[in-house]
Amino acid sequence: MARYVDLHPVDPQPRLVSQVVEALRDDALIAYPTDSGYALGCRIGNRDGRDRILKIRGLDDKHHFTLVCRDFSQLGQLVHVDNSAFRAIRSATPGPYTFILPGTPEVPRRLLHPKKKTVGVRIPDHVVVTALLEELGEPLLSSSLILPGESEVRTMGWDIKEELEHQVDIVIEAGETTSEPTTVVDWSGPEPEVLRHGSGDASRFE
C-alpha cells in the first residue's frame, strides 16, 4: 500500500524529503508533483521501477523515458547537446520542457530508444522536485503520469493514491499542479521538432 507524504510546496520539510530519498535508494517507485502535473519516478538503476512505469502507463519498450535533472551541468552528462541547441535549451530551463537528445555512455542502454539511442531530459521548475534531486544526488528516471485511455496528466495526490495505491510505493502531495504535461522537443536532428504541445511555449522552437 502506497505511503502518502505531504510536503510543503514552498519549504519542503527536510526530514520528509530524506525519507522519500531513502525509499528511492531502496528502489521505491514514487508519484510526485512537477511544474507540469504528476510524474512517476525511480532511480536510474532501478530496473524493476522502469518496468513498473511501463506497466502502469500501458506502454512498450519504445517509450521515450525522461531523465529529470537537478541542473544543466547534470543534464550535460547524460545527453549530447550541440552548439545550435545549447543556448536555446539553456534559456528554456528550468521549465516545463522535455528535450529528446542523443544519450551519452552515462545512460544505460535499456533507457535509450532502441533505434535512435535517444532519451528525454528535463529540468523542472518545482521546489519539491529540486529538493528531492539535491538530496538524491542523481537524476530520476521519470514519465508523465498519464494513465491508459487518458490524455491529461494527473494533478491531485489523493486521487492518485486512491487509484494506484497498490502499484506505487509513495505518493507525494505538495499542493496544486497544472494538468498540462511538458512540451516535448526532439533535438536529435539538425533542427528542433516539437512532438507535443504542452505547458511550455513551443513557438520558440518552431
Side-chain angles (χ1 to χ4, degrees):
M1 190 172 291
R3 181 183 171 198
Y4 194 66
V5 178
D6 198 347
L7 287 175
H8 193 280
V10 177
D11 189 18
Q13 306 90 314
R15 179 179 59 84
L16 294 180
V17 170
S18 294
Q19 289 175 11
V20 173
V21 168
E22 278 306 306
L24 283 166
R25 288 180 179 140
D26 286 338
D27 286 345
L29 176 63
I30 68 170
Y32 67 102
T34 77
D35 53 352
S36 55
Y38 267 78
L40 296 166
C42 65
R43 279 181 58 249
I44 286 179
N46 185 350
R47 289 171 178 265
D48 180 57
R50 169 195 175 274
D51 295 342
R52 289 167 71 188
I53 290 172
L54 291 175
K55 186 175 180 183
I56 289 168
R57 290 211 48 200
L59 300 167
D60 62 23
D61 282 347
K62 295 185 181 66
H63 173 64
H64 257 121
F65 277 99
T66 299
L67 304 179
V68 177
C69 303
R70 180 184 67 243
D71 52 32
F72 200 83
S73 64
Q74 194 176 66
L75 181 150
Q77 295 170 14
L78 301 168
V79 289
H80 296 288
V81 186
D82 66 23
N83 291 336
S84 64
F86 180 89
R87 191 174 297 173
I89 293 174
R90 185 82 186 249
S91 69
T93 55
Y97 296 92
T98 299
F99 297 97
I100 309 293
L101 290 156
T104 70
E106 296 285 315
V107 181
R109 287 177 65 87
R110 69 182 181 280
L111 304 183
L112 296 171
H113 188 279
K115 286 187 179 176
K116 299 178 180 177
K117 307 304 179 196
T118 49
V119 70
V121 285
R122 92 179 200 88
I123 305 170
D125 186 13
H126 195 282
V127 172
V128 168
V129 184
T130 302
L132 290 172
L133 292 170
E134 284 179 353
E135 179 92 8
L136 184 62
E138 62 178 275
L140 274 176
L141 175 64
S142 194
S143 182
S144 298
L145 185 34
I146 303 171
L147 295 177
E150 298 182 356
S151 58
E152 288 197 343
V153 69
R154 289 299 181 100
T155 62
M156 292 179 286
W158 62 267
D159 176 49
I160 294 164
K161 185 179 186 304
E162 205 167 83
E163 188 148 354
L164 298 180
E165 70 172 343
H166 297 295
Q167 294 171 272
V168 301
D169 302 303
I170 292 176
V171 177
I172 295 174
E173 177 64 66
E176 226 173 297
T177 69
T178 174
S179 61
E180 272 198 289
T182 57
T183 291
V184 179
V185 182
D186 186 338
W187 214 319
S188 57
E191 298 292 331
E193 180 187 358
V194 177
L195 301 183
R196 180 176 73 194
H197 288 77
S199 48
D201 177 15
S203 63
R204 62 203 297 174
F205 300 107
E206 291 177 317

